[in-house]
Amino acid sequence: MKLSPGLAALAASLAVSGVAAVAEYDSQCLPGTASTTTKTTTTPTTTKSSTTTTKSSTTTTKSSTTTTKSSTTTTKSTTTTTTTSATPSATTKKFKLFGVNESCAEFGTAIPGVLGTDYTWPAPSSIDYFVGKGFNAFRVPFMMERISPNGLTGSFDATYLAALKSIVTYITGKGAYAAIDPHNYLRFNGSIITDSAAFTTWWKNLSAQFAGNSHVIFDLQNEPWGIDASVVASFMQSAVNGIRSTGATNLILVEGTSWTGAWSWTSSGNAAAFTGFTDPANNFAIEMHQYLDSDGSGSNATCVSGTIGAERIADATTWLKNNNFKGFLGEIGGGSNDVCIAAIKSALSAMQAADSPWIGALWWAAGPWWGDYFQSIEPPSGPAVARILPEALVPYLPVTGL
């Protein structure tokens, strides 16, 4: 989870009008016009639940009021000032992929929406900035309803598809990797997707648009929630098989239910559901997300402790090793303070251990409309640029590529 599109939208609209924006969280950025930190959704607010955390995801538009994302948690909510000196070692394994999420094309609820009002695309200058620092991976969230206005098996919208292909081509033209991310929580037009065949057809058609570009990564679906883990795993398996039937050999990222949380991977049922997952091309990774505040939502700049990052991914790391799977941390975030920086470094250091199954990680998030959201790393002056970038991320370079 992280700042939602509605909040992003809020940040965006406030930033455009010169007002300091207040960010919150959800599974992506959404633009909104409210003057509060709440968000609105087109679907009922739901609680994200697991034995360790609960969260709700929402979708908002730049022109709507925003609604609060409520959460409860059974994890300890006390914070400490304990820090850790975790740093990468010369003997550790470097990431193959390391970079940022480039958000904002998934903002808003208006369909199709208006470019520049409801949503926008990542800025090429942002890509240049991070590539110049040595990062090599960018996840590009987008909205399925905008690219497929005629349904999952219908034709693509030419304009929205062209814009997606344009930023992807820009990224890969720089020698970096672009993960295309339908940021829909396994929902379409507000309803849970139940037609696995249609979902597979959608991915077969979309993957064909990027045929021949080995630097494009297929992230099958952002943060499914409220759906049984076995159902999500079956959708992921069908989509992988469908994509491979087209001859595509690109890296595929598969996500689980319960917002694909690393800390709840076992308790959510994902561990059991994805055991035995296969890929005819043997080129996939399990994508998980992890935030470091008390409820794991990414809504609070206060982290639980300086070691919470390593602690929250430990069980998932063991599961990945036991199943001989590769892992990818598609979202991580925290505040620009000593405790959070230590927590982020504890996670990344653990992920770079010599025997680590993790192939990389991405910060949430960059994007033109984040305003003063505390996790925004949009150059040149997003709040996370000053400390998170040099202290918590740059030390884990260089990258090796796939």
Side-chain angles (χ1 to χ4, degrees), residues 54-397:
T54 59
K55 302 181 202 171
S56 64
S57 79
T58 58
T59 330
T60 16
T61 64
K62 195 172 187 180
S63 58
S64 68
T65 17
T66 52
T67 67
T68 12
K69 178 180 217 175
S70 63
S71 65
T72 57
T73 179
T74 57
T75 61
K76 63 181 181 181
S77 58
T78 56
T79 59
T80 75
T81 56
T82 302
T83 59
T84 174
S85 58
T87 53
S89 159
T91 60
T92 58
K93 181 170 66 177
K94 291 301 182 182
F95 290 136
K96 294 178 183 292
L97 303 169
F98 195 32
V100 301
N101 285 269
E102 285 283 354
S103 180
C104 294
E106 83 284 17
F107 274 32
T109 54
I111 304 298
V114 177
L115 177 63
T117 299
D118 299 295
Y119 68 93
T120 191
W121 291 94
S125 60
S126 182
I127 307 302
D128 293 344
Y129 178 86
F130 290 109
V131 169
K133 296 286 185 182
F135 295 94
N136 74 337
F138 302 90
R139 182 171 178 247
V140 183
F142 64 94
M143 187 181 286
M144 294 175 76
E145 293 86 350
R146 290 190 178 127
I147 203 168
S148 297
N150 302 308
L152 293 177
T153 59
S155 59
F156 293 128
D157 179 84
T159 302
Y160 195 79
L161 174 62
L164 174 63
K165 294 175 78 170
S166 177
I167 191 63
V168 166
T169 299
Y170 190 86
I171 291 168
T172 61
K174 296 287 181 178
Y177 296 84
I180 55 175
D181 161 35
H183 217 78
N184 277 63
Y185 316 98
L186 205 56
R187 284 156 169 79
F188 191 81
N189 287 333
S191 299
I192 292 172
I193 300 172
T194 58
D195 188 340
S196 177
F199 180 71
T200 298
T201 295
W202 185 87
W203 259 113
K204 289 172 67 175
N205 292 339
L206 186 63
S207 63
Q209 296 291 326
F210 299 92
N213 190 340
S214 63
H215 277 54
V216 177
I217 299 166
F218 303 140
D219 183 348
L220 297 185
Q221 188 68 200
N222 178 70
E223 295 187 347
W225 60 272
I227 309 166
D228 188 82
S230 63
V231 173
V232 175
S234 69
F235 268 73
M236 298 292 158
Q237 185 67 76
S238 179
V240 167
N241 293 344
I243 291 169
R244 297 309 184 211
S245 73
T246 70
T249 58
N250 306 60
L251 174 66
I252 296 176
L253 302 174
V254 300
E255 302 192 31
T257 196
S258 195
W259 290 265
T260 204
W263 69 333
S264 60
W265 193 255
T266 297
S267 61
S268 65
N270 283 325
F274 282 87
T275 296
F277 196 89
T278 61
D279 173 9
N282 194 29
N283 190 25
F284 78 98
I286 303 290
E287 179 177 335
M288 302 182 197
H289 297 170
Q290 191 60 64
Y291 294 91
L292 309 173
D293 48 355
S294 62
D295 64 356
S297 65
S299 62
N300 196 311
T302 300
C303 295
V304 173
S305 74
T307 58
I308 195 64
E311 292 165 11
R312 284 186 172 171
I313 67 167
D315 180 66
T317 300
T318 299
W319 179 83
L320 289 166
K321 288 180 182 178
N322 290 343
N323 287 276
N324 198 29
F325 288 157
K326 295 178 290 188
F328 183 73
L329 200 62
E331 295 180 15
I332 186 172
S336 294
N337 55 69
D338 289 348
V339 175
C340 284
I341 288 171
I344 295 159
K345 292 174 69 175
S346 77
L348 298 180
S349 291
M351 292 170 65
Q352 286 196 342
D355 62 344
S356 172
W358 298 94
I359 62 171
L362 300 174
W363 180 260
W364 182 270
W369 280 1
W370 280 112
D372 62 1
Y373 171 46
F374 72 93
Q375 287 181 187
S376 172
I377 203 164
E378 178 71 3
S381 56
V385 171
R387 291 201 63 189
I388 297 296
L389 184 61
E391 297 179 47
L393 302 182
V394 168
Y396 295 88
L397 294 170

